[in-house]
Amino acid sequence: MEHQPPPFFNRGPAPLVRLAFFVSLAFLLMVLDARFRYAENVRQVVALAAYPIQLVAMAPVNLFHGVVDYFSSTTALREENSALRARQLRAAQGLLQLAALQEENGQLRRLLDARERLPRKSVFAEILYAARDPFSRKVVIDKGSQDGILPGQPVIDDVGVIGQVTRVYFLVSEVTLLSDKDQAIPLQVLRNGLRAVAYGAEGGMLDLRFMAANADIRNGDTLVTSGIDGTYPPGLPVATVVRIERDAAYAFASITLMPTAGTDRYRQVLVLSNEAKPPPPQPAPPARKPVRTKRPRKGG
């Protein structure tokens, strides 16, 4: 007994016939579209209808690329920021070094000017380090006996006296500062010529001892070397009066001085010799040209 499929499942034309039909239709549509542009409107409608579907389909991919680009750009910006910061630090370091070199160059020029004005010979020196003794104020310079340095020679900078050479080695020397408690220097008040002796005190200051309570000295007075000891040339700036205490119960006044020069500003100093500087050579007078006298002519 044969079973026939119900009408709902009727297969219609044969597959080969349908294939030939649709191929012919597709070929016809391609020819019409290429020749007469009949399918342009249909293409626009289909593209418009498919655009939201394309957006939805591309959303995960676009989101992934956006996240990757964000982190990549953030990393690149951080690296660029670090490189710029390092470059800025290097530039700042170079500017600081340039400023320090300019200051040192200016101080060397001032030392050269002071060297030209001094009546004694001098030697350039540089402070290497401060002495390790906590109970004294001393520094070590890079010049020693091989450079002609001798104990007792004064040491100055471009503004005034720093101290005195107290110990000499072959390559280096030890300089005791004026503020050392065992150091003393004869001074003279620049305003009125009053003489006194200053001693080292605490805190890098100087004490003007054995000065009468009624002595003519004021705050702000400048004191210079008197030169009576034969060690320091006269007229070198040493200190300024910063405090005066007078008490009727005491015969002497308590006077505190602030040194004009110091080792806390620059490292270059001058070590003064005891030898006088030779006078500059005088220019030779111009040679006189011999005067030619005319001989009288002999008569014919």
Side-chain angles (χ1 to χ4, degrees), residues 187 196-199 206-211 217 223 253 255 257:
L187 302 178
V197 178
Y199 296 83
L206 302 177
D207 283 340
L208 202 63
R209 301 179 186 175
F210 313 115
M211 181 65 67
I217 189 168
L223 286 90
I255 303 174
L257 311 177

Side-chain angles (χ1 to χ4, degrees), residues 183-206:
Q183 192 74 0
I185 180 171
L187 302 178
Q188 185 176 358
V189 180
L190 186 62
R191 178 173 55 85
N192 54 17
L194 185 65
R195 291 180 180 176
V197 178
Y199 296 83
E202 297 293 333
M205 308 297 282
L206 302 177

